[in-house]
Amino acid sequence: MEKNLLEKINQAPEEEPARQYFFMKLAKELVEAKSKEAKRPLTFDVVTFGCQMNARDSEKLVGILEGAGYIKSESEESDFVIYNTCTVRENANLKVYGRLGSLKRVKRRNPHMMIGLCGCMMQESQVVEKIKKSYPFVDLIFGTHNIYKFAELLVYALVNNSMVIDVWKDTDRIVENLPVDRKYSFKSGVNIMFGCNNFCSYCIVPYVRGRERSRNPEDIISEINQLVSDGVKEVMLLGQNVNSYGKNLEYPVTFAELLEKIAAIEGVERIRFMTSHPKDLSDELIRVMGRYPKICNHLHLPLQSGSSKILKDMNRHYTKEEYLLLVDKIRKSVPDISLTTDIIVGYPGETEKDFEQTMDVVRKVRYDSVFTFIYSKRTGTPAAAREEQVPKDVVKDRFNRLLKEVQTISAEQINRFLGTVQEVLVEGVNEQDPSLVTGRMTNNVLVHFPGDVSMIGTFRQVHLETCKGFYYMGKER
Ligand code: SAH
Ligand code: SF4
Ligand code: F3S
């Protein structure tokens, strides 16, 4: 490294986020120099895999890359391509390896190109080993705990010819107030907590996202106030188990209390949240959901399995009966609520009888939509060590039967709004037909109707004219 540059780096302030702003400025100088050499502006592309948390993290990456002077492009031929990865199922990992393979060819053609990898997959040491060995052309690797340090890591990657790797095992830090570039002007995710303490037996998230940490309510409120003054109308509160929010704060606050505080903010028109763990869903929360029209009529309540025996083995801390009782309670308090869920098929030891219990819950609850997953063995989780893995063909057959059932039920369920007028927040112009716009109802169902770009980010009263299974065609009233 140049002596001059080293001296500069040594002057970086210790405290955060000032340190990252310092590095962003330095990165900007380096990017400018590179851009002069290339005789064109340098571009970037952030590719996101996985859940809403990752989507929100990616907005932070974009904010920093823009601060460093890169120009956004949606092409993987960009000068800086970064994959924000997911590892919840093996498929997610395979996708990343596949795409890295093709990036290699792109990089060979572009001497300015850099490749970064971050997110949940990078928290697994065997993944990092594999990348070092099989994908040595990658320039930067970091994990979920030090994403706030991206500006600093970017500088190291810009000045180093070899791969820069910085992955932490865990952290108790939450660094606030870094730049963010939101994907939508009118809605935004807001992290209320990080990590997970539940250790469901099949799940890798607690290992790659670390222990549960809640943000202070004041920080959350002030972020939302800022978002509202920027034009945001809908917030999605994010956490792996939002129902356990606030338990470990110095002055504990419940999730229901937090929701009430947010509902009181003028300008916030819609509040969503994800994800609710059934074991921690309180009566207080159910009451609050019924009380505030701003809180969307939608609850994602992952079931995972309908068999109490499997649920016990999964370490979920509820039985089939408790789950069904909870659903009844919610429906009494919030009539017409849209319930959605996640289900895993083929968990080790799942018998036909266990699977029938899952089908039974699906028929009883009648979800508006269900995300169905085939069990995927994750190294290091307790379930991966189980011997009774279910044969692939049996899993496939159960998966198809479940899918058929949930599709039939959800089409019938969604249809219940046909002919009504609903408030829709317009999200964008329809990709297939530019004479239409697309928006969401409070229950998260999509509606397409005639309109134009000027409607984006506004609420419209829309008459639902035809139901197409999981979405509607409508007309503005
Ligand atoms: N925190 C959320 C879920 C995060 S992961 C919750 O507790 O509900 C999202 C979904 O992925 C889970 O609900 C589960 O259905 C699924 N999932 C997690 N690990 C999995 C695995 N090993 N195989 C298949 N699906 C899995
Ligand atoms: Fe995984 Fe369970 Fe935590 Fe959800 S609650 S992230 S499924 S361990
Ligand atoms: Fe995937 Fe990490 Fe989310 S593993 S589901 S991106 S928390």
Side-chain angles (χ1 to χ4, degrees):
M1 209 185 295
E2 268 175 64
K3 194 162 154 263
N4 194 339
L5 198 63
L6 219 107
E7 269 169 22
K8 263 196 198 160
I9 290 179
N10 283 336
Q11 285 163 13
E14 285 295 320
E15 70 278 10
E16 300 290 5
R19 186 175 172 87
Q20 298 314 314
Y21 281 95
F22 173 92
F23 277 106
M24 214 154 54
K25 219 173 122 219
L26 198 51
K28 194 163 186 195
E29 289 168 22
L30 294 166
V31 171
E32 257 164 31
K34 257 187 129 181
S35 163
K36 260 197 199 128
E37 209 181 285
K39 298 196 180 64
R40 59 181 171 80
L42 297 188
T43 54
F44 76 90
D45 187 19
V46 176
V47 183
T48 313
F49 300 84
C51 65
Q52 304 274 356
M53 310 266 173
N54 261 20
R56 183 64 178 156
D57 282 347
S58 286
E59 293 183 342
K60 299 177 184 170
L61 299 174
V62 171
I64 288 167
L65 285 165
E66 285 177 340
Y70 280 103
I71 310 289
K72 196 196 262 177
S73 105
E74 306 259 292
S75 148
E76 287 184 46
E77 310 243 322
S78 298
D79 300 295
F80 192 99
V81 174
I82 182 158
Y83 288 168
N84 189 7
T85 62
C86 169
T87 185
V88 75
R89 286 167 291 273
E90 199 188 0
N91 276 351
N93 297 42
L94 297 178
K95 251 190 249 165
V96 169
Y97 291 131
R99 287 172 75 157
L100 266 181
S102 23
L103 273 196
K104 184 180 180 180
R105 285 187 293 279
V106 182
K107 190 169 174 176
R108 219 181 270 146
R109 292 197 304 267
N110 178 1
H112 297 284
M113 185 177 189
M114 285 172 57
I115 298 172
L117 295 172
C118 66
C120 296
M121 225 176 124
M122 300 306 127
Q123 291 295 137
E124 296 176 278
S125 49
Q126 78 274 19
V127 168
V128 176
E129 284 314 308
K130 178 167 175 164
I131 290 166
K132 280 205 287 201
K133 218 171 110 217
S134 311
Y135 305 89
F137 54 89
V138 168
D139 299 277
L140 171 63
I141 294 180
F142 58 99
T144 56
H145 303 303
N146 55 346
I147 188 164
Y148 75 87
K149 261 184 76 180
F150 178 46
E152 180 169 351
L153 296 170
L154 179 63
V155 167
Y156 301 152
L158 280 163
V159 298
N160 256 300
N161 285 328
S162 51
M163 197 187 283
V164 173
I165 304 177
D166 191 11
V167 180
W168 300 355
K169 278 215 150 28
D170 205 347
T171 185
D172 51 12
R173 288 192 79 172
I174 297 178
V175 177
E176 308 266 353
N177 299 324
L178 283 161
V180 182
D181 184 82
R182 279 180 284 112
K183 191 167 170 203
Y184 299 96
S185 58
F186 52 89
K187 68 169 184 179
S188 178
V190 175
N191 296 108
I192 63 166
M193 59 205 298
F194 301 93
C196 180
N197 282 354
N198 288 313
F199 291 95
C200 301
S201 64
Y202 50 83
C203 183
I204 200 164
V205 171
Y207 304 87
V208 295
R209 286 271 170 178
R211 295 294 60 73
E212 189 179 293
R213 285 147 285 147
S214 294
R215 284 176 75 196
N216 282 316
E218 305 80 59
D219 293 332
I220 297 170
I221 306 280
S222 94
E223 181 178 340
I224 295 177
N225 276 323
Q226 182 60 47
L227 288 170
V228 167
S229 63
D230 264 12
V232 165
K233 295 172 179 165
E234 178 178 307
V235 290
M236 163 85 101
L237 311 177
L238 300 173
Q240 292 299 348
N241 175 9
V242 292
N243 298 331
S244 77
Y245 169 80
K247 285 188 181 150
N248 302 321
L249 288 171
E250 196 183 347
Y251 302 102
V253 177
T254 66
F255 179 56
E257 287 166 349
L258 178 73
L259 266 181
E260 287 202 279
K261 284 185 210 274
I262 296 171
I265 299 176
E266 210 175 312
V268 173
E269 317 256 0
R270 274 184 177 179
I271 307 168
R272 302 186 184 279
F273 52 87
M274 254 197 156
T275 304
S276 275
H277 194 306
K279 82 175 162 75
D280 294 313
L281 199 138
S282 65
D283 290 350
E284 187 197 8
L285 176 62
I286 297 176
R287 274 196 302 276
V288 167
M289 288 188 71
R291 195 177 307 146
Y292 293 91
K294 282 182 179 185
I295 302 175
C296 287
N297 245 358
H298 172 211
L299 182 66
H300 186 66
L301 195 63
L303 169 69
Q304 311 304 0
S305 166
S307 151
S308 297
K309 178 195 100 194
I310 296 287
L311 285 169
K312 185 156 197 296
D313 201 86
M314 286 177 162
N315 197 27
R316 292 288 290 179
H317 296 279
Y318 53 86
T319 60
K320 173 188 179 190
E321 291 70 29
E322 284 163 346
Y323 185 95
L324 288 172
L325 271 176
L326 188 60
V327 166
D328 275 349
K329 244 196 301 190
I330 296 162
R331 286 222 160 109
K332 277 208 187 88
S333 215
V334 197
D336 233 3
I337 190 162
S338 154
L339 289 173
T340 60
T341 202
D342 293 346
I343 292 174
I344 298 176
V345 180
Y347 179 83
E350 182 191 77
T351 61
E352 179 59 26
K353 237 169 116 191
D354 293 318
F355 176 69
E356 272 305 325
Q357 299 294 312
T358 301
M359 292 288 265
D360 188 44
V361 176
V362 164
R363 290 183 192 119
K364 287 198 164 106
V365 176
R366 300 185 57 80
Y367 296 100
D368 278 15
S369 125
V370 181
F371 295 93
T372 48
F373 303 110
I374 286 181
Y375 168 73
S376 169
K377 203 168 160 175
R378 306 315 290 131
T379 312
T381 61
R386 298 274 195 284
E387 283 177 2
E388 339 72 302
Q389 304 285 339
V390 185
K392 273 206 174 98
D393 53 333
V394 176
V395 180
K396 195 81 211 141
D397 173 62
R398 285 181 194 159
F399 183 81
N400 290 338
R401 278 150 62 202
L402 176 67
L403 199 62
K404 201 159 158 248
E405 190 73 29
V406 302
Q407 281 171 345
T408 313
I409 293 176
S410 71
E412 287 166 14
Q413 280 295 106
I414 303 284
N415 197 43
R416 73 187 185 278
F417 301 103
L418 188 70
T420 62
V421 175
Q422 298 284 334
E423 186 177 70
V424 172
L425 175 57
V426 181
E427 301 206 332
V429 174
N430 188 302
E431 276 171 20
Q432 270 91 49
D433 180 351
S435 72
L436 301 176
V437 289
T438 300
R440 280 176 202 275
M441 321 195 317
T442 171
N443 64 10
N444 214 30
V445 171
L446 285 174
V447 185
H448 307 288
F449 63 99
D452 60 56
V453 68
S454 70
M455 293 178 172
I456 294 175
T458 63
F459 287 97
R460 302 280 161 160
Q461 300 298 323
V462 181
H463 181 242
L464 306 179
E465 305 202 311
T466 33
C467 181
K468 303 268 186 183
F470 59 95
Y471 66 89
Y472 277 103
M473 305 300 296
K475 238 189 211 120
E476 195 180 353
R477 264 295 148 90

